[in-house]
Amino acid sequence: MEISNAEFIVSNTDVKKCPPGHLPEYAFIGRSNVGKSSLINMLTGRKGLAMTSATPGKTMLINHFLINDSWCIVDLPGYGYARRGMKGQEQIRTIIEDYILEREQMTNLFLLIDSRLEPQKIDMEFMEWLGENGIPFSIIFTKADKLKGGRLKMNINAYIRELRKQWEELPPYFVSSSEDRMGRTEILDYIESINKEVNSK
């Protein structure tokens, strides 16, 4: 799939104020500093579309982007940012959970995981919660360019082993790098295949 048009529509903190209509939405989420904005900019080919961490306030919001006038990318707040304090974290959790559980247009959730780290408890618990609530999701391992040789494969395999303890069937997963556009074609093709399915119903 080629992206010919990508535009920012709206930011808000309330799922009820998300744009009306029935366009499929692909939401991106992950721990703070996992490379979410960079990935969205890389996928759309628009450098400044999603604001990167220079503006931490942006990540408190649900950001909608209209793609090719036919589907949306949704940038959700990052979770697990300890310096936000309990009240801030609670606020973020409410925003995230309300969107994920109540937004009918959400077609798939992409969970971003830093490929440089060993399996993190917070990510595993989040996936468990998604499974319990029957949320369709896929995993994107980010920052793949930061690892040399077999290290990337080792780290991803460690995650897969951890996932197999909880899941009979593994969610689809992708390996990406915003620096060298790794994974871009695979992720966009995956979105396109889901869009075709949605439109044929």
Side-chain angles (χ1 to χ4, degrees):
M1 174 188 4
E2 278 314 306
I3 291 185
S4 52
N5 186 34
E7 56 180 303
F8 169 72
I9 317 174
V10 69
S11 287
N12 60 68
T13 55
D14 185 351
V15 68
K16 294 177 183 67
K17 292 180 184 160
C18 285
H22 301 287
L23 295 181
E25 292 180 2
Y26 296 85
F28 288 74
I29 195 167
R31 286 185 315 120
S32 299
N33 203 28
V34 75
K36 193 158 43 73
S37 302
S38 302
L39 178 79
I40 291 171
N41 293 339
M42 181 269 276
L43 289 176
T44 57
R46 308 288 187 281
K47 240 186 181 142
L49 189 70
M51 301 299 272
T52 48
S53 55
T55 51
K58 267 281 187 205
T59 55
M60 293 284 287
L61 302 165
I62 303 168
N63 297 304
H64 271 76
F65 305 95
L66 178 63
I67 311 297
N68 291 351
D69 296 321
S70 59
W71 56 279
C72 290
I73 280 178
V74 180
D75 183 5
L76 292 174
Y79 57 80
Y81 183 55
R83 285 176 58 190
R84 246 189 204 118
M86 284 311 286
K87 193 174 176 224
Q89 286 186 48
E90 205 46 54
Q91 231 177 335
I92 292 278
R93 194 160 75 211
T94 304
I95 294 169
I96 290 169
E97 289 185 2
D98 285 355
Y99 173 85
I100 291 173
L101 297 176
E102 294 175 26
R103 185 71 172 161
E104 285 176 23
Q105 292 90 326
M106 192 192 79
T107 308
N108 188 69
L109 181 73
F110 285 105
L111 172 62
L112 276 56
I113 285 174
D114 189 333
S115 65
R116 299 171 302 176
L117 306 177
E118 58 188 40
Q120 302 288 302
K121 185 168 179 263
I122 190 168
D123 292 329
M124 302 309 290
E125 285 174 352
F126 186 65
M127 281 186 259
E128 208 174 315
W129 179 80
L130 292 173
E132 283 164 5
N133 287 284
I135 306 297
F137 76 98
S138 317
I139 296 169
I140 300 179
F141 291 100
T142 62
K143 306 189 181 187
D145 59 290
K146 305 280 190 279
L147 293 170
K148 296 281 178 281
R151 187 77 219 176
L152 176 66
K153 207 166 183 201
M154 269 172 61
N155 283 13
I156 291 171
N157 286 343
Y159 245 105
I160 301 304
R161 275 197 303 277
E162 209 50 44
L163 283 170
R164 284 194 199 281
K165 292 176 188 174
Q166 287 178 345
W167 300 81
E168 277 177 39
E169 198 182 324
L170 291 179
Y173 68 91
F174 304 89
V175 180
S176 80
S177 159
S178 302
E179 291 300 310
D180 53 21
R181 295 160 66 91
M182 185 200 290
R184 184 176 189 268
T185 305
E186 292 82 351
I187 295 165
L188 291 178
D189 286 352
Y190 179 66
I191 290 173
E192 186 175 34
S193 69
I194 298 176
N195 281 342
K196 280 181 180 156
E197 229 173 276
V198 169
N199 293 332
S200 67
K201 282 177 185 172

